Amino acid sequence: MGGQEIEQLIRLLGRLPGFGPRSARRVALYLLKEPQTRLAPLAHAMERAGNAIKTCSSCGNLDTIDPCHICSDPLRDQGLICVVETVGDLWALERAGVHRGVYQVLGGTLSPLAGIGPEDLDVAPLFEKLNKGTVREIILALGATVEGATTMHWLMDQLAPYGGVTVSRVAQGVPMGGALDVLDDGTLAAALGARRPA
Amino acid sequence: MGGQEIEQLIRLLGRLPGFGPRSARRVALYLLKEPQTRLAPLAHAMERAGNAIKTCSSCGNLDTIDPCHICSDPLRDQGLICVVETVGDLWALERAGVHRGVYQVLGGTLSPLAGIGPEDLDVAPLFEKLNKGTVREIILALGATVEGATTMHWLMDQLAPYGGVTVSRVAQGVPMGGALDVLDDGTLAAALGARRPA
């Protein structure tokens, strides 16, 4: 299938998340069919993004400036910190436009089985801010998984000494637009357990 | 969501076949999380492939040499030409290892509605070879679509004057491993019509 340059491109594309050999070949063909207008611009955008990318030292977000656009925005509430697992979670909350504070990206979840302990989570900036006394409220927006719950309980233990700080967690329940009969038992139990007056 | 370099990368990724905004963000995050080990190698592979890519002047294949590996292979039967629509079709036949001759990639199909006429198909090298008298057999391996059939009939008209050349077309029928009850009516009709003694 062509020279080794083409084979190498297909091999690397096949490692992308959601890719298999078939989609890798499809994308490679699409790019190689128009090298000037399709392949070159994407390669350049990758290089530019790769050179520009920085991890925010204040929250762990990926951005082209450090501190990131969110941490350096004077209109964001620096006293309200939303703790998320990944940058993807942060981006999802930003797209929804539902959080007016800042973030702390943990970069993962506790997982004793996978050997991921507290030292692997990026929490130092959060506790620095807590020790400075600039934090008013912390929202734990972790995934509804075993690892997410483990991480949340560990964090709540760590946050217990900071008496003046409100700690909350995102609600669990029926997703907007979701039918009940397709939901798993855990979600149904959580939605019933957290019922409110109508 | 980060700087304009990141947004531009997500925008270009979102134009790839099979991509939407969600998968574009997912792949961008995957790449940006490890710029040195994930993003840079892929960007370099793209650049190398883009610089090396050539369209074979003999058959229309995409390769890093011209004529391509297939056309310049002395073990391939130059007198047996398989006509396909796209380079992807050629790659699929090569993966299957079922064709020992060479190819002619048309680069598309006739489509009066889309304004694609014979002048848009890459057939000149095929007729050059026919006029040189080096062609013994032509296999039409076009898609079982309206456009594929239109293109096949047009090609058969063009090939009619070359009396000494055998022209065949790939068989239509039940795909290997395919259950009959999921096939469309057209395929079932073709499979029944082309039935053979068991």
Side-chain angles (χ1 to χ4, degrees):
Chain A
M1 234 87 74
Q4 62 169 38
E5 290 89 347
I6 302 177
E7 278 168 26
Q8 172 71 350
L9 175 60
I10 294 173
R11 193 157 42 234
L12 289 181
L13 284 172
R15 287 189 200 154
L16 296 179
F19 271 65
R22 201 190 182 85
S23 39
R25 284 194 300 265
R26 190 174 167 210
V27 167
L29 264 180
Y30 169 87
L31 293 172
L32 291 171
K33 228 176 147 183
E34 304 276 351
Q36 296 311 316
T37 58
R38 291 174 182 171
L39 192 135
L42 181 58
H44 293 158
M46 280 186 178
E47 241 171 308
R48 276 198 304 273
N51 291 332
I53 197 79
K54 292 181 178 65
T55 300
C56 176
S57 55
S58 174
C59 77
N61 187 17
L62 287 174
D63 204 331
T64 50
I65 52 171
D66 176 21
C68 73
H69 284 92
I70 297 168
C71 287
S72 56
D73 183 346
L75 296 175
R76 308 286 297 228
D77 183 349
Q78 304 285 332
L80 172 62
I81 301 183
C82 181
V83 179
V84 293
E85 293 174 14
T86 67
V87 175
D89 296 339
L90 184 161
W91 287 6
L93 287 165
E94 283 300 293
R95 279 199 303 281
V98 289
H99 178 56
R100 297 305 304 158
V102 294
Y103 294 90
Q104 178 62 46
V105 180
L106 298 180
T109 45
L110 294 182
S111 176
L113 282 175
I116 302 173
E119 66 282 3
D120 298 312
L121 301 184
D122 187 13
V123 286
L126 177 66
F127 287 99
E128 269 174 42
K129 290 172 191 167
L130 280 164
N131 291 329
K132 274 193 211 151
T134 59
V135 183
R136 199 178 66 255
E137 182 176 352
I138 290 180
I139 303 169
L140 302 175
L142 304 179
T145 59
V146 173
E147 290 80 13
T150 309
T151 309
M152 193 173 63
H153 289 127
W154 174 80
L155 264 175
M156 284 164 76
D157 285 348
Q158 305 299 308
L159 294 170
Y162 300 90
V165 177
T166 309
V167 179
S168 59
R169 48 182 282 189
V170 292
Q172 286 188 310
V174 182
M176 206 63 75
L180 262 74
D181 61 354
V182 296
L183 290 177
D184 61 293
D185 296 351
T187 302
L188 287 175
L192 272 186
R195 67 190 177 278
R196 301 181 183 195
Chain B
M1 235 87 73
Q4 63 169 39
E5 289 90 348
I6 302 177
E7 278 169 25
Q8 172 72 351
L9 175 60
I10 294 174
R11 193 158 39 233
L12 290 181
L13 285 172
R15 287 190 202 154
L16 296 178
F19 270 66
R22 202 190 182 84
S23 39
R25 284 193 300 266
R26 190 174 167 211
V27 167
L29 263 180
Y30 170 87
L31 293 172
L32 292 170
K33 228 176 149 183
E34 305 276 351
Q36 296 310 315
T37 58
R38 291 174 182 171
L39 192 135
L42 181 58
H44 293 158
M46 279 186 178
E47 240 171 307
R48 276 198 304 272
N51 291 332
I53 197 81
K54 292 180 177 63
T55 300
C56 177
S57 54
S58 173
C59 76
N61 187 16
L62 287 173
D63 203 331
T64 50
I65 52 171
D66 176 21
C68 73
H69 285 92
I70 298 168
C71 287
S72 55
D73 183 346
L75 296 176
R76 307 288 295 228
D77 183 349
Q78 305 286 331
L80 173 61
I81 301 183
C82 180
V83 179
V84 294
E85 293 174 14
T86 66
V87 175
D89 295 339
L90 185 161
W91 286 6
L93 286 165
E94 284 300 293
R95 278 198 304 282
V98 288
H99 177 57
R100 297 305 304 156
V102 294
Y103 295 91
Q104 178 63 46
V105 180
L106 299 180
T109 45
L110 294 182
S111 176
L113 282 175
I116 302 174
E119 67 282 2
D120 299 312
L121 301 184
D122 187 13
V123 285
L126 178 66
F127 287 99
E128 269 174 43
K129 291 171 192 168
L130 280 164
N131 291 330
K132 273 193 213 152
T134 59
V135 182
R136 197 179 67 255
E137 182 176 351
I138 291 179
I139 303 169
L140 302 175
L142 304 178
T145 61
V146 173
E147 290 80 12
T150 308
T151 309
M152 193 172 63
H153 289 127
W154 175 80
L155 264 175
M156 284 164 76
D157 285 347
Q158 306 299 307
L159 295 171
Y162 299 90
V165 178
T166 309
V167 179
S168 59
R169 48 182 282 190
V170 292
Q172 287 189 309
V174 182
M176 206 62 77
L180 262 74
D181 61 353
V182 297
L183 289 177
D184 61 292
D185 297 350
T187 302
L188 287 175
L192 271 186
R195 66 189 177 279
R196 301 181 185 195

